[in-house]
Amino acid sequence: MSRPAAGGDNRTDGPTRPFAVTEDELEQAVREAFARRVAVARPLVADPAGLAIRRADRSRRRRTLTGIALAAVATVTVSAGMAQLGQQPGRPNHPTVVLGGPYASSMPEVTPQPSAGPQTDLGRGEVDLILDDVLLTASGQRIVLPDVGRAAERAQRLPDRAGWAVVGAPTAAGRSLWIVLPDGAAHLLLAGARDIVLSPDGRQVAWREGTDLVVAGVVGTQVVAAARTPAPPAALPVGFAGDTVLVRLDPGRPGHALWRPAAGPPRQAGDAALHVYGIRPDGLAVALVSAGTPRRPCVALLDPARDLASVRTGCGPTLTGDGAGGVSADGRWLLANGKAGAQAGAVLVDLDQLVPVPVIRPAGPPVAGPVAWTPQGTAHYSDAAGALVRAEVGRVLDGEAARPTPVDGLPAGRHPVPVGGDNPS
């Protein structure tokens, strides 16, 4: 067997690249290979940092999209609310319930300063006061509340020093309810309600919403467990007697109803009450009623447990029908607008001596806002001129009517708002 000729083979006589490699050249090649591998960064099979960053990016994108969606919903809601306001001025149908949401906090801003007269009285630490946008506590703490304080109509201290509940004055958009915490943070609970009333302990709230009456609990900075019922067009909540809501059926006529949510819709109870000033510790309602012959305004103690049946009625003092006034913490005294003889103004009525003729004394200038009583028997209120009045029961009984004391630094048209409830010194 003969070997094929070399011309028919594709192999050459020798390699085109020499295989002879020196040790130095091999070492250099290895170094270059490792250098190229190090220069190319390979991703780890498990990269915790990268995973966290990617998750954060996804969360940020989701929050952005959620914010855009909420803004769109809010725009639609506000537009619908404005349409409702255009159709029914001053009577929106659906208040906004906000669960939490801090709005303001204490800030070291310039605040209105009381004049030299009330500065001495305020130093006694009797009641808290709202002066424009400042909440001045009985202990001297100043909490700046932009918008909240300026819109306040009345306020009360919450139990266990948990803060304050502030009800706003009526506006075209309705009323608002705020909870102010001791650190100054304010939380909006209700907005757009027609009327708002709080229980004496601040744990319940009732309001008018469109064609319904609504009652709910207040826990911290939240409104919880709401119940509602249809109500006559003019019916308004005016107070609480325990868990029962007192409802005035028509502000222009006598007559109230009692609403116990667990027992069904409001039930008319009595037809003589013109106004309810408050509830005594024994549970009796202090009311202005139409009684006697001929019919005239009289002071009465009504029992909510017996459908507002009259327990005692005293006719004698001529009380005005504006409903301004308040009952002392011990339930003994009523401070209300009326006449003592020919003198018109605030009068002090002894509720323990209603019959046969109530004992009354001139107490000071007419009441032009909420009345805040101290446990010691001193009433604080503002008059029509925006001055602060301090009526002490002992001095009033001795024939010394209270005098108004101007409060310097308040803008024109604004009145000091004394805060009800237990005010610790």
Side-chain angles (χ1 to χ4, degrees):
M1 182 175 177
S2 62
R3 182 179 179 180
D9 196 351
N10 60 358
R11 290 178 297 175
T12 60
D13 293 336
T16 57
R17 183 177 60 185
F19 286 104
V21 180
T22 65
E23 183 177 349
D24 291 339
E25 290 175 338
L26 179 60
E27 182 179 347
Q28 181 63 30
V30 172
R31 287 179 178 176
E32 290 178 357
F34 276 113
R36 285 194 297 270
R37 291 177 62 86
V38 172
V40 178
R42 297 176 178 270
L44 296 175
V45 175
D47 184 7
L51 181 60
I53 293 172
R54 289 192 293 274
R55 286 178 177 175
D57 290 339
R58 286 196 297 268
S59 298
R60 196 159 43 244
R61 286 194 294 271
R62 282 197 298 268
R63 286 196 298 268
T64 302
L65 293 175
T66 302
I68 294 173
L70 290 177
V73 172
T75 302
V76 173
T77 302
V78 171
S79 301
M82 293 301 292
Q84 285 184 356
L85 291 176
Q87 296 169 1
Q88 297 180 346
R91 297 181 62 177
N93 287 330
H94 302 285
T96 301
V97 179
V98 181
L99 304 182
Y103 176 79
S105 59
S106 180
M107 297 177 62
E109 297 182 1
V110 178
T111 60
Q113 295 290 332
S115 62
Q119 187 68 42
T120 301
D121 290 340
L122 295 179
R124 299 180 185 181
E126 290 186 310
V127 297
D128 301 339
L129 287 171
I130 295 179
L131 305 175
D132 193 29
D133 63 350
V134 175
L135 173 62
L136 177 63
T137 70
S139 60
Q141 180 185 7
R142 289 175 175 267
I143 300 175
V144 180
L145 299 174
D147 299 333
V148 180
R150 291 171 183 168
E153 182 182 67
R154 61 186 185 275
Q156 68 184 60
R157 181 179 279 273
L158 299 175
D160 303 324
R161 304 195 182 200
W164 303 263
V166 181
V167 177
T171 65
R175 292 179 183 270
S176 59
L177 172 64
W178 300 83
I179 295 296
V180 178
L181 302 181
D183 63 359
H187 297 256
L188 179 64
L189 268 65
L190 295 173
R194 181 176 167 190
D195 282 271
I196 298 174
V197 294
L198 287 158
S199 62
D201 61 7
R203 291 189 169 97
Q204 297 181 87
V205 59
W207 69 93
R208 177 76 191 232
E209 179 180 340
T211 59
D212 294 343
L213 294 176
V214 188
V215 64
V218 178
V219 179
T221 58
Q222 295 184 348
V223 174
V224 299
R228 65 178 61 235
T229 185
L236 300 173
V238 295
F240 280 85
D243 293 331
T244 300
V245 182
L246 298 175
V247 181
R248 186 163 186 180
L249 297 173
D250 189 334
R253 299 178 181 179
H256 284 67
L258 299 175
W259 179 31
R260 300 180 179 93
R267 182 182 70 257
Q268 186 166 356
D271 58 359
L274 299 168
H275 182 78
V276 176
Y277 293 104
I279 305 295
R280 298 184 0 147
D282 60 7
L284 298 180
V286 181
L288 179 67
V289 301
S290 178
T293 304
R295 307 287 284 185
R296 61 191 184 277
C298 302
V299 180
L301 301 181
L302 309 179
D303 188 358
R306 296 191 294 127
D307 291 338
L308 296 180
S310 177
V311 176
R312 289 195 300 274
T313 302
C315 299
T318 303
L319 299 184
T320 62
D322 59 8
V327 180
S328 62
D330 60 4
R332 171 74 183 273
W333 307 99
L334 167 65
L335 183 76
N337 287 338
K339 284 186 178 181
Q343 184 178 357
V347 296
L348 188 67
V349 182
D350 188 343
L351 298 176
D352 285 351
Q353 300 185 41
L354 283 182
V355 291
V357 179
V359 175
I360 64 171
R361 295 287 187 275
V367 177
V371 178
W373 282 88
T374 68
Q376 294 74 28
T378 302
H380 295 256
Y381 65 93
S382 63
D383 66 4
L388 189 63
V389 183
R390 178 181 179 274
E392 189 176 344
V393 170
R395 293 186 177 183
V396 171
L397 294 178
D398 290 339
E400 183 182 345
R403 297 177 179 273
T405 306
V407 179
D408 294 338
L410 290 179
R414 298 197 184 278
H415 295 181
V417 178
V419 180
D422 183 20
N423 290 272
S425 58

